[in-house]
Amino acid sequence: MSELFDAVDALLASRAVLPPPAERKRLRAAHGLTIDEVATALKVRRATVSGWESGKTEPRPPERDAYARLLDGLAKLYPAPAETTVPAPDASVSATPTAAPAPEQAQAPATQQTPEAAAATATENTQAPASGTPAAAAAPPPARTTRTSSASRRPGTKKAAPADTPASSADPRFENGPLAVVDVQDGKVLAYCTGGLVLDVPATSLPSLVDWTLREAKLGAPKLAGPGKDADPLLVLTQAALERYGLPVTLTQEERLAGRIPQGHKVIKQLARAQWKLTQRGFGPWARIYRPATGSERACVQLCIPSWNALDARHWGEAGQLPPAELARVLGVYASRVMTPRGSTAVTGLELMTALHPPTRASEPDATGKRHSEHNPGSLGKDAVDPVNWPPCEVPDGHPVLKDLPRFHVRGPGEKLFEEAYDWARPMTDAECTLRYLVGIDVNMAFAAGANGLNVGLGQATHVKAPAFDPKLPGSWLVDLSHVDLSKVKVGKDTWVELDGSLLPSPFTPNGERPQGPAWYATPTVAYAAELGYEVRPIEAWVRYDNGRYLDGWYNRLRDAYLATMADLGVDADLAPADFLAAMNGYRARDPELAIVATAIKATVKGGLGKLRERPRGEGWRPGEPWRALSRPTWRPDIRAAVISRTRINLHRKIVKHAAFTGQYPVAILSDCVVYAAAGPSPLDLLPYRDGKPLPGGFKLGINPGLVKHEGTQTLLWGEEVRERFNAPQLNLARYIKDGTVTDTDNGE
């Protein structure tokens, strides 16, 4: 008889009405269950449970029976609050997104009737999505219903979004998100958008695809600042889409070197006939197709072509090989947290500065009621600094202002501002050789932390002779700091400490060597010399009286993007030291796609700052001639120098505090990684914590920018063997500390 009852229970469960996907996730999270725990209990793959919670698929017997029972039990324990109750079809829903979404998987095409999708369609095609609000973090959207999309002549359906995809924009113009990955499957052209939406694309040519994107697709993103511009829609073309629209799947070697396909290509001719234009960079991996703006209306679409190396593997990992839905998820999370990609991560980092501080704004109405364009205070303006007005000390070799120098002249520290990151190492002491390990710690988003709160010049520089040093005035200062003695320094207002200065790098040079005479320094470097307790007397300076904290908004957005992504990966900002180290162990494997986003965000920081001093990139350039980057208002080597200066000084300050408190000195530093000899293999064997609190002003474990994480640990014998192999007692071990791999081609340079 019990077998009969079990069979009846199974029949009831197989016809049970399951809650909507968003409610399934809410119930699981309310009970503190992970996706992996549910998958293990039901003996299915993690991706299967992700599909059930995202609306991609529906469970089938026998798993459906058990899943229904689990959800029914959870629903009794955690009734749905009134504000998250699923609305009737076609009703608009709003709810507050949670801050830490769980990583889920991408959607199958809404228009394809795969076995899994067919099972889901019956419960989905009467639902409609609700519009959320733009958010810096890709939080789970509120419970939704779905409706038929009107964005295509052969419409697909909007499906319930995966739990970790960005909420759709409240702006109806961009309700389908910032971007779409265009692919061809079973002869149909599909556009995979963020939030799990898949649209049919009726366009049969590239010009018609651009036209469809602007007229019907409802793609794009609202501006990031009041006077700014909305983000243009981004289309990512897969290899199948390239073939469909007559474009090469890969570029020839000649095309790769040129960065574009030939001007006479048939697709470019199609665009020209349809009165579409390309930017000066032509049709390359990040092509921009536009028509001249009419008033405030823009008509521009950007293309991203992964198979042409648009998504550099150094910064985007394996993103270029992801399936369309998963690639839409990766780029969508990045777009919602940073901005819609405008090119490489470096280009996007630079564009983000401008998007947050647009160069112009509308003026107050004049006597006739008309508004005019005027300079937006706090921005860099719309006009680049004339090359002839640049301080000679701040520009790189080959700049037009240096054209009169002898051809093979090498500028020294007294002629050239050389603010760069550390590359320093020293031989180990006898005491350090008695220890067993070398432990590397790395500063999180060090250059972003260096930009936070930094006062930088906004206008042109003014040349002054024998100025009094002002630590609040951005500029470049010619000053002699060779008298600063690191064996006795101030570490507080009136506290002097004695250190072994021979074991410390100089804070004033990238190679850590003590300066030999007058040299050019950015303001943070000179200010640190005064902070250490020594007098500074500049000989001359180029200062910028028009200044401000231009990078604060840029830092805040990138910091929030990074912290939100790391929280999704299980690394929260408030973890205790031991818990933080445990959470960082293998975090990338928890969701490889979101790990790609985290890497791209960090690359956006470094690349954006590097673009401030972009060098010539071929194009027939010769020394003494201007190059393209000089025409940008954002070509600002002085800002880059100030950020790097402050980053290096921040690190040195922590090293000094650590040495004064523990007597431990670094043996190697590479950029933001510091290596110490230690008795144990963990950073906790190195960093002083008392009652869970770190040394004030020293190193602290954590994920926030400026805090440190574990970079790697090797044995001290490994370090000695590597240095002995290359006969280099000062080989920089920080370069290899992460995994210990040293190739025979390395020579310590």
Side-chain angles (χ1 to χ4, degrees):
M1 184 65 70
S2 62
E3 293 180 357
L4 293 177
F5 286 163
D6 291 341
V8 170
D9 289 342
L11 286 174
L12 291 173
S14 67
R15 298 298 187 271
V17 178
L18 297 175
E23 178 66 3
R24 300 170 195 174
K25 179 184 180 299
R26 185 193 72 81
L27 291 171
R28 173 182 60 76
H31 201 59
L33 298 175
T34 66
I35 292 179
D36 289 328
E37 288 175 324
V38 174
T40 300
L42 300 179
K43 297 181 180 179
V44 297
R45 294 186 304 116
R46 183 185 190 280
T48 301
V49 179
S50 296
W52 296 345
E53 290 191 354
S54 67
K56 173 183 176 182
T57 59
E58 288 294 303
R60 294 182 172 185
E63 292 83 9
R64 179 187 174 93
D65 308 354
Y67 190 50
R69 179 172 296 185
L70 170 65
L71 295 175
D72 182 63
L74 293 176
K76 293 176 181 177
L77 293 173
Y78 310 99
E83 62 269 21
T84 59
T85 302
V86 178
D90 298 324
S92 175
V93 181
S94 63
T96 302
T98 58
E104 312 300 354
Q105 287 311 265
Q107 301 297 310
T111 54
Q112 287 189 310
Q113 293 301 302
T114 61
E116 293 83 2
T121 302
T123 61
E124 292 172 350
N125 59 13
T126 60
Q127 298 177 334
S131 294
T133 56
R144 299 182 178 205
T145 56
T146 58
R147 58 171 172 78
T148 300
S149 169
S150 60
S152 170
R153 297 176 206 165
R154 292 202 319 263
T157 58
K158 277 196 173 180
K159 304 176 68 177
D164 59 350
T165 51
S168 61
S169 171
D171 192 326
R173 298 173 299 160
F174 312 128
E175 67 176 36
N176 293 334
L179 57 89
V181 180
V182 180
D183 191 33
V184 179
Q185 295 184 12
D186 297 332
K188 292 183 177 181
V189 182
L190 304 173
Y192 290 78
C193 307
T194 58
L197 171 66
V198 181
L199 298 175
D200 282 319
V201 180
T204 58
S205 67
L206 191 63
S208 61
L209 176 64
V210 173
D211 187 71
W212 171 82
T213 302
L214 293 171
R215 293 179 182 273
E216 302 182 52
K218 296 186 178 180
L219 295 174
K223 57 191 176 184
L224 296 179
K229 299 175 182 178
D230 297 327
D232 298 320
L234 173 65
L235 296 181
V236 185
L237 302 184
T238 66
Q239 294 187 22
L242 292 173
E243 292 178 343
R244 170 61 64 92
Y245 293 120
L247 291 164
V249 172
T250 58
L251 298 180
T252 65
Q253 182 177 0
E254 183 179 352
E255 290 168 344
R256 286 198 301 272
L257 291 174
R260 69 192 79 181
I261 59 177
Q263 191 65 28
H265 193 280
K266 63 179 181 179
V267 172
I268 296 180
K269 292 180 179 179
Q270 290 175 1
L271 292 168
R273 285 195 296 269
Q275 298 184 331
W276 290 107
K277 297 179 179 294
L278 294 166
T279 61
Q280 290 184 356
R281 292 196 178 274
F283 203 122
W286 290 93
R288 298 188 70 78
I289 302 172
Y290 73 98
R291 287 188 180 127
T294 303
S296 61
E297 292 297 322
R298 289 170 56 83
C300 184
V301 172
Q302 177 147 333
L303 302 183
C304 167
I305 306 177
S307 65
W308 294 6
N309 199 34
L311 301 175
D312 192 323
R314 293 172 298 175
H315 310 137
W316 289 101
E318 301 298 320
Q321 284 72 53
L322 291 175
E326 297 175 19
L327 180 55
R329 177 198 177 210
V330 168
L331 294 177
V333 173
Y334 179 90
S336 70
R337 293 177 174 174
V338 180
M339 70 179 296
T340 305
R342 296 287 304 274
S344 66
T345 50
V347 169
T348 303
L350 194 69
E351 291 285 342
L352 180 61
M353 296 179 195
T354 303
L356 293 169
H357 286 284
T360 59
R361 68 178 184 183
S363 68
E364 294 296 324
D366 60 17
T368 65
K370 186 177 181 180
R371 295 179 183 268
H372 305 274
S373 177
E374 66 177 14
H375 173 69
N376 183 29
S379 76
L380 298 180
K382 63 182 180 64
D383 298 319
V385 176
D386 191 319
V388 301
N389 292 330
W390 274 105
C393 64
E394 292 181 349
V395 299
D397 294 337
H399 189 276
V401 79
L402 304 175
K403 64 181 180 180
D404 294 330
L405 285 179
R407 183 176 179 184
F408 297 106
H409 178 75
V410 177
R411 293 186 294 161
E415 299 172 278
K416 180 180 180 179
L417 178 67
F418 193 63
E419 295 285 11
E420 299 294 340
Y422 268 128
D423 187 349
W424 169 87
R426 63 169 176 82
M428 284 181 272
T429 65
D430 292 342
E432 289 167 341
C433 288
T434 65
L435 302 174
R436 294 185 58 188
Y437 296 98
L438 295 171
V439 178
I441 53 178
D442 181 80
V443 182
N444 290 311
M445 294 185 72
F447 295 101
N452 182 29
L454 179 64
N455 207 33
V456 300
L458 302 178
Q460 294 194 20
T462 300
H463 188 222
V464 291
K465 289 283 190 178
F469 176 67
D470 182 351
K472 297 181 180 179
L473 186 60
S476 300
W477 310 78
L478 180 63
V479 59
D480 188 351
L481 300 180
S482 60
H483 63 290
V484 177
D485 184 3
L486 294 180
S487 63
K488 186 177 182 181
V489 297
K490 288 177 67 175
V491 295
K493 187 175 181 181
D494 297 308
T495 304
W496 287 80
V497 297
E498 293 186 359
L499 303 171
D500 188 341
S502 66
L503 301 181
L504 286 171
S506 167
F508 310 126
T509 59
N511 61 11
E513 295 181 3
R514 189 168 180 169
Q516 299 301 307
W520 286 98
Y521 303 103
T523 298
T525 302
V526 185
Y528 185 57
E531 178 185 324
L532 292 175
Y534 291 87
E535 184 181 27
V536 293
R537 292 183 178 180
I539 301 167
E540 60 177 300
W542 291 88
V543 296
R544 290 172 170 84
Y545 296 107
D546 179 13
N547 54 69
R549 292 168 58 160
Y550 174 73
L551 294 173
D552 274 10
W554 184 81
Y555 162 79
N556 288 333
R557 187 162 181 86
L558 289 166
R559 175 204 60 196
D560 292 347
Y562 182 67
L563 292 182
T565 305
M566 292 304 295
D568 291 345
L569 290 165
V571 185
D572 294 313
D574 56 353
L575 292 173
D579 295 335
F580 168 72
L581 293 174
M584 286 294 293
N585 186 23
Y587 76 93
R588 302 186 67 85
R590 295 178 198 135
D591 191 324
E593 293 171 15
L594 285 183
I596 290 173
V597 177
T599 299
I601 293 169
K602 291 189 289 186
T604 303
V605 173
K606 288 188 176 181
L609 293 171
K611 277 283 184 179
L612 293 169
R613 189 179 178 260
E614 185 175 359
R615 301 298 304 275
R617 303 178 64 184
E619 303 173 353
W621 174 81
R622 294 181 180 180
E625 296 178 350
W627 58 92
R628 180 180 297 178
L630 300 187
S631 64
R632 294 193 320 248
T634 49
W635 193 82
R636 293 297 302 271
D638 57 305
I639 295 180
R640 173 188 176 274
V643 173
I644 295 177
S645 164
R646 192 165 187 245
T647 302
R648 193 182 67 245
I649 293 307
N650 284 346
L651 181 59
H652 195 275
R653 185 181 291 111
K654 295 182 190 315
I655 289 171
V656 167
K657 289 285 183 69
H658 186 84
F661 189 81
T662 67
Q664 296 171 324
Y665 296 83
V667 298
I669 310 173
L670 184 66
S671 187
D672 46 11
C673 175
V674 187
V675 175
Y676 284 90
S682 169
L684 292 176
D685 297 314
L686 170 70
L687 304 181
Y689 274 82
R690 289 183 176 177
D691 299 324
K693 296 182 179 180
L695 168 68
F699 295 108
K700 178 182 178 182
L701 290 167
I703 200 60
N704 275 291
L707 305 189
V708 298
K709 63 180 182 294
H710 185 203
E711 179 70 3
T713 294
Q714 304 296 330
T715 65
L716 189 129
L717 290 177
W718 165 87
E720 289 297 314
E721 188 275 332
V722 169
R723 286 180 164 179
E724 193 173 308
R725 186 200 312 176
F726 292 106
N727 193 27
Q730 292 182 237
L731 182 73
N732 195 332
L733 299 174
R735 183 173 280 108
Y736 317 106
I737 194 70
K738 189 167 189 175
D739 58 11
T741 302
V742 184
T743 64
D744 290 335
T745 57
D746 291 318
N747 59 10
E749 294 294 332

